[in-house]
Amino acid sequence: MKNPVFDIDSWKEISATLSRNKTRTFLTAFGIFWGTAMLSMLWGGAQGLQDILRRNFAGLSTNMALVFSNRTSMPYKGYAKGMSWSLTQTDVDNMRTRIPEIEAMSGVSSRSTTAVYGKHSKSTQIQGVENQFPQIFTPVIYEGRFINDSDERNIKKVCVIGKAIADEIFGNESPIGKFIALDNIYYRIVGVAGQLSEVQINGKIDEMFTIPLSTMRQAYNTGQNIDYIMVTVKQGHSPSDIMPRMQRIIRANHPIHPEDQQAIQSWDVSEQFETVDNMFTGVDILVLFVGFSSLLAGIIGVGNIMWIIVKERTQEIGIRRALGAKPRDIIVQILSESVVLTTIAGIAGICFAVVVLSIVASGTTVNNDVPRFQLAFQHAMIILITFLTLGTAAGIIPALKAMHIKPIEALNDK
């Protein structure tokens, strides 16, 4: 007797069997298709979703903190409660000297300004920063350069123009080397910059002018005063580790009560990143849960249709046994039907997921930043092999039942 698995007639029998159960076969195949598609899209899309979320913090150091002044809540040294005060460049210099854990630091001042170039006039923001600012909040340089140490040290009248403003005022013309008036003071444009991050600290770099902080103090006669301090710490430390020392240094230079917790405010960005990381962990758990549920639903469907096939083919199996078919032949025949169904539907589901992920990646690309909505080949193979393994396992019990069918019982079955 021919082996019912490996000759061409056997594969025709598999096709015929599945065709006789069209509705059930379709529903089971769709379950497997949808299960593999869902698992593939979730697995391939999780990283892309994380990329989109991380884009909101692009360029922002994960170990950064902001320090800024607030009204006092306690009277001290003759000063009344509710006094306004400002951070100074002296505070920044003292912290740099006394806190070795600091990696980069920049005082920042900002204010409204009116930019004039030829017939163009625009109300916008101007910010003064120190040369270490790009180490804290990395800008996107579209053309030219950013503020450097020479600009800060020599109080140069240079500026970096935001990409959105450059497009509005200069269009397709390069602004590098041109002079633009900011509050009637002319600055030479040395760079065009922007940011990928959605985080706004007094506005977006794309929509403001950036000049050296020393130039800002001189142009607007602000003395040593600054608006806030941006700081990053070295690896192995966190902003919360150095915050008490930063506050003590600031208090020593200002009339602030040692127990006044309101006067010095801070924002620890590292805590926000920790929250985002926890969110990513939640997304990974959700992917595993939904993927496992889809996988389980598809496998249950395979097992069910195998039970039905065995039940409907009881007499046929009995005749095969009576004619000398070995139990192994019956088992392999039933399992082959399970494998064929799982393979075809599984591959279709993976292909569908790849197409969907490609469309999503294309639709969420911003400034050539393509989120990784993609399913790696090895991951696709893992999904397919997992479905094949479990699909085969789901067919084992029905196959064993078929093997134990006695010919006389099968022929009398109605």
Side-chain angles (χ1 to χ4, degrees):
M1 181 178 179
K2 292 183 179 181
N3 188 308
V5 177
F6 300 106
D7 57 43
I8 191 66
D9 292 335
S10 297
W11 292 107
K12 290 180 180 179
E13 288 175 10
I14 293 173
S15 177
T17 301
L18 296 177
S19 297
R20 286 197 299 270
N21 299 275
K22 288 182 180 179
T23 302
R24 298 189 188 96
T25 301
F26 172 78
L27 292 176
T28 302
F30 182 78
I32 298 171
F33 166 84
W34 188 246
T36 53
M38 282 292 293
L39 187 54
S40 299
M41 285 188 288
L42 288 169
W43 199 345
Q47 186 60 59
L49 179 59
Q50 291 185 18
D51 288 346
I52 291 178
L53 292 175
R54 289 188 185 280
R55 183 187 291 165
N56 295 328
F57 298 92
L60 197 64
S61 296
T62 58
N63 59 345
M64 184 193 89
L66 267 66
V67 181
F68 48 94
S69 62
N70 193 21
R71 290 183 178 274
T72 59
S73 62
M74 301 174 67
Y76 188 61
K77 291 185 177 180
Y79 291 91
K81 171 185 175 181
M83 176 192 70
S84 295
W85 64 283
S86 294
L87 291 164
T88 66
Q89 187 62 41
T90 301
D91 296 325
V92 176
D93 295 338
N94 287 342
M95 290 182 206
R96 282 199 178 108
T97 303
R98 302 177 188 176
I99 305 178
E101 292 89 347
I102 291 177
E103 183 176 51
M105 176 179 281
S106 173
V108 182
S109 290
S110 63
R111 63 189 300 153
S112 299
T113 187
T114 300
V116 178
Y117 179 79
K119 297 180 180 180
H120 296 279
S121 178
K122 182 174 179 60
S123 296
T124 182
Q125 289 282 114
I126 184 173
Q127 70 171 356
V129 303
E130 296 182 82
N131 63 294
Q132 290 186 346
F133 178 87
Q135 297 174 239
I136 306 169
F137 196 165
T138 306
V140 179
I141 305 298
Y142 295 97
E143 193 175 358
R145 62 174 177 84
F146 204 72
I147 302 300
N148 60 30
D149 180 61
S150 176
D151 300 329
E152 171 71 16
R153 188 174 58 255
N154 296 310
I155 318 179
K156 292 183 179 179
K157 289 185 173 62
V158 295
C159 72
V160 176
I161 186 172
K163 182 68 164 61
I165 302 175
D167 291 342
E168 181 177 342
I169 295 178
F170 294 95
N172 295 326
E173 182 183 1
S174 174
I176 302 300
K178 295 181 170 57
F179 287 84
I180 190 167
L182 304 176
D183 294 328
N184 298 318
I185 300 175
Y186 282 88
Y187 297 84
R188 182 168 61 89
I189 300 173
V190 296
V192 180
Q195 65 180 66
L196 291 176
S197 171
E198 293 300 321
V199 175
Q200 297 191 33
I201 305 174
N202 285 333
K204 298 183 69 173
I205 296 176
D206 304 66
E207 300 165 352
M208 65 171 63
F209 288 87
T210 303
I211 65 175
L213 181 58
S214 58
T215 306
M216 181 92 168
R217 289 199 298 266
Q218 184 183 76
Y220 293 97
N221 195 29
T222 60
Q224 290 290 303
N225 291 345
I226 56 178
D227 291 341
Y228 57 92
I229 298 171
M230 301 177 71
V231 59
T232 60
V233 295
K234 295 177 181 178
Q235 190 171 6
H237 302 276
S238 68
S240 59
D241 295 336
I242 66 169
M243 196 58 65
R245 279 179 285 168
M246 292 178 67
Q247 292 180 351
R248 284 197 297 270
I249 290 171
I250 293 172
R251 292 179 197 279
N253 196 40
H254 300 274
I256 301 173
H257 196 285
E259 297 180 6
D260 190 342
Q261 301 300 316
Q262 177 180 299
I264 304 173
Q265 297 290 310
S266 62
W267 177 39
D268 189 346
V269 179
S270 64
E271 294 179 354
Q272 307 302 315
F273 276 98
E274 185 176 347
T275 300
V276 172
D277 288 337
N278 291 335
M279 185 186 304
F280 291 159
T281 301
V283 170
D284 291 337
I285 293 174
L286 179 63
V287 167
L288 290 174
F289 176 76
V290 176
F292 178 77
S293 299
S294 301
L295 175 66
L296 187 61
I299 298 309
I300 290 174
V302 172
N304 286 339
I305 197 170
M306 290 300 103
W307 274 110
I308 293 170
I309 288 174
V310 169
K311 179 64 178 176
E312 291 184 349
R313 297 178 61 190
T314 298
Q315 287 190 335
E316 177 188 338
I317 292 171
I319 293 172
R320 285 175 176 266
R321 292 294 307 278
L323 293 176
K326 297 178 181 179
R328 179 179 60 84
D329 297 334
I330 301 298
I331 291 177
V332 176
Q333 179 69 32
I334 300 299
L335 291 182
S336 297
E337 294 166 5
S338 172
V339 169
V340 169
L341 185 64
T342 304
T343 302
I344 294 175
I347 292 175
I350 291 173
C351 292
F352 175 78
V354 170
V355 172
V356 172
L357 289 172
S358 298
I359 295 173
V360 173
S362 177
T364 54
T365 299
V366 177
N367 294 328
N368 295 321
D369 179 26
V370 184
R372 287 170 290 179
F373 285 101
Q374 56 188 4
L375 181 67
F377 178 77
Q378 60 267 31
H379 293 165
M381 290 297 98
I382 290 172
I383 292 172
L384 183 59
I385 292 171
T386 300
F387 263 84
L388 280 173
T389 302
L390 295 181
T392 302
I396 287 178
I397 296 177
L400 292 175
K401 181 180 182 297
M403 180 189 72
H404 288 96
I405 294 176
K406 295 180 180 180
I408 189 63
E409 293 176 359
L411 293 174
N412 290 330
D413 185 72
K414 293 183 179 181

